[in-house]
Amino acid sequence: QVQLVESGGGVVQPGGSLRLSCTATGFTLYDYAIGWFRQAPGKEREGVACISGGDSDTYYADSVKGRFTISREKAKNMLYLHMNSLKPEDTAIYFCSAVWIYGNKWWPRPEVTSWGQGTQVTVSS
């Protein structure tokens, strides 16, 4: 198991933007499908976006389509989540994980990556 490291969270006003980053040491992100998940207080963890191995496909939760973009920088072994038009309901801790993709759904792969500390995103005026 590898633990991925998330960063880039913060406090932003509604309508603002943030870019989250995900990386790992000794683990090549490009070789795997990787997804972003989030967990708000009192709620279950939910998938936000994912990208297939080799970057051929991307998938998004309906709640973030058109506002969030997932991308990967192979040379830097980095994965990003570009978040625009942020809403208060986007407030959560955001995590990245290796994932299985089937159809337009994805699930974490705990046999490959374990959950990190995540990065807190707070959208508030």
Side-chain angles (χ1 to χ4, degrees), residues 6 20 37-38 48 68 81 83 90 92-95 118-119 121:
E6 305 91 351
L20 306 184
F37 296 80
R38 67 186 180 186
V48 176
F68 291 10
L81 185 67
M83 306 187 296
D90 295 318
I93 301 175
Y94 285 70
F95 305 86
T119 186
V121 172

Side-chain angles (χ1 to χ4, degrees), residues 29-45:
L29 294 176
Y30 190 77
D31 291 343
Y32 293 85
I34 305 290
W36 283 99
F37 296 80
R38 67 186 180 186
Q39 187 166 19
K43 295 188 177 181
E44 293 187 355
R45 196 168 301 187

